[in-house]
Amino acid sequence: MSIGDELGAIAVRGDTALTIGVFDGVHRGHTHLISQLLDEASSNGLLAGVVTFREHPAAVLSPSFQAQYLTSFQERLDLLNETNIDLAVPITFDRALADLSAEEFISLLQEHLRMVSLVVGPDFAMGRKREGTIERLSKLGVEMGFTLKVVDGLKEASGETVRSTTVRAALSEGDVQRVADLLGRRFTLEGSVVSGEGRGGGIGIPTANMAPPHEMAVPGDGIYAAFVHLDDHRLKAAVSIGNNPTFGGQHRTIEPFILDFDGSLYGETLRLEFVRRLRDQVKFDSVETLLEQINRDVADTRKILESAPPC
């Protein structure tokens, strides 16, 4: 399906103010931009719409790029719709779209989505080889009859702009509390339960071996206190992420030990809601020493999650 066909399938009942991007994570920087989009639309009697790419453009333009998404595509759409926009417009980013000039892409947005206003961040660029810079878009706005509103990025107290790359960096360091502040909610990760080595059960600490999609971002190695969402249940868990150094593991695993739970989870889908990082992954001298630390981790997890505020 061509970009024109995708856009043409969207029912638009009025003129629109649009913003464009991947919006991976739908973090506070994104919601800041969207709040300005909503203001622009409200002030001018327009519908507010977000055009989002199904694929990360870098994955199409660079074969070596490995996507590490903060949210699944469906979660991204759900989060965008929670911002009170009128339209969330998913489109496929492929070579054909990448080869369009900024003028050609805007023409399609005007034709199919009735765009009369474009709201973007200061570093935004669009079109073939990113030729549609802010300066170029300003000129195109005059020529093609749309307004351009440039919104300054949301900054942290440190002065750093909130971006998806900022969130990923904090996540790779295991700083899930900072990630929650950047996102405006706790980071979650969903995956199915698959067969593991069975070591946990052998030492009396049965864990679920969780396998999220390979393209999803995962917190850095360590032990975490997290809630586990299973169907309609919200359970407490101590989560190990790493290669099990005490047992000489070769593969990175995600293993939640669910507190006060007894039952089989194979084939189930779990969603982890990370609350706090407890410690690094450590190689212990013996299984007994490991068990002593696990018991401390479980006690710390229980205390943290019992007092954790809703998020």
Side-chain angles (χ1 to χ4, degrees), residues 12 14-19 37 40-41 44-48 106 109-119 140-142 144-149:
V12 181
D15 292 342
T16 64
L18 300 179
T19 190
L37 171 74
E40 174 73 7
N44 294 284
L46 305 173
L47 300 175
I106 288 169
L109 297 177
Q110 290 180 314
E111 177 184 356
H112 297 291
L113 299 183
R114 298 176 60 175
M115 186 193 80
V116 297
S117 177
L118 180 62
V119 180
L140 287 176
V142 174
M144 301 179 71
F146 68 90
T147 62
L148 178 69
K149 180 177 181 178

Side-chain angles (χ1 to χ4, degrees), residues 67-303:
Q68 291 289 286
Y69 292 110
L70 298 166
T71 51
S72 68
F73 179 66
Q74 185 57 55
E75 185 181 7
R76 191 197 323 166
L77 290 182
D78 292 342
L79 289 167
L80 286 173
N81 283 315
E82 288 175 8
T83 64
N84 295 321
I85 59 173
D86 299 293
L87 298 167
V89 183
I91 59 174
T92 301
F93 192 97
D94 56 15
R95 279 288 174 182
L97 178 56
D99 286 340
L100 292 178
S101 68
E103 184 175 358
E104 289 170 329
F105 190 17
I106 288 169
S107 180
L108 289 171
L109 297 177
Q110 290 180 314
E111 177 184 356
H112 297 291
L113 299 183
R114 298 176 60 175
M115 186 193 80
V116 297
S117 177
L118 180 62
V119 180
V120 299
D123 301 324
F124 181 82
M126 65 184 292
R128 184 171 52 244
K129 297 183 179 180
R130 295 176 60 82
E131 53 90 13
T133 61
I134 296 298
E135 181 179 5
R136 174 64 175 149
L137 291 175
S138 296
K139 294 177 180 178
L140 287 176
V142 174
E143 296 170 6
M144 301 179 71
F146 68 90
T147 62
L148 178 69
K149 180 177 181 178
V150 181
V151 177
D152 288 336
L154 180 68
K155 295 184 182 299
E156 296 184 83
S158 65
E160 185 174 8
T161 302
V162 178
R163 308 176 189 273
S164 297
T165 52
T166 312
V167 182
R168 289 191 198 95
L171 190 65
S172 69
E173 295 170 359
D175 192 349
V176 293
Q177 289 174 283
R178 184 179 180 218
V179 169
D181 182 60
L182 293 169
L183 291 176
R185 63 187 187 280
R186 295 191 184 110
F187 176 76
T188 63
L189 182 66
E190 187 171 284
S192 56
V193 178
V194 298
S195 297
E197 298 290 339
R199 294 193 187 101
I203 61 174
I205 308 292
T207 59
N209 194 44
M210 185 175 150
H214 72 276
E215 70 273 13
M216 299 304 296
V218 174
D221 289 359
I223 310 300
Y224 297 85
F227 290 109
V228 173
H229 297 262
L230 172 63
D231 298 326
D232 295 329
H233 302 288
R234 188 173 185 246
L235 309 169
K236 302 179 181 71
V239 181
S240 170
I241 300 179
N243 62 358
N244 293 304
T246 301
F247 296 100
Q250 300 298 311
H251 303 289
R252 194 169 190 241
T253 60
I254 304 170
E255 299 182 61
F257 169 60
I258 303 178
L259 281 58
D260 310 316
F261 179 84
D262 183 20
S264 174
L265 290 170
Y266 290 122
E268 297 285 356
T269 297
L270 304 180
R271 182 164 60 90
L272 303 182
E273 176 189 340
F274 290 87
V275 177
R276 188 182 303 178
R277 188 175 190 270
L278 302 180
R279 61 175 176 86
D280 291 338
Q281 281 265 329
V282 177
K283 183 177 180 179
F284 292 92
D285 296 332
S286 67
V287 172
E288 290 74 17
T289 306
L290 170 62
L291 279 171
E292 290 174 1
Q293 181 60 57
I294 289 175
N295 287 330
R296 288 192 289 270
D297 294 337
V298 169
D300 290 343
T301 293
R302 192 182 300 278
K303 182 177 180 180

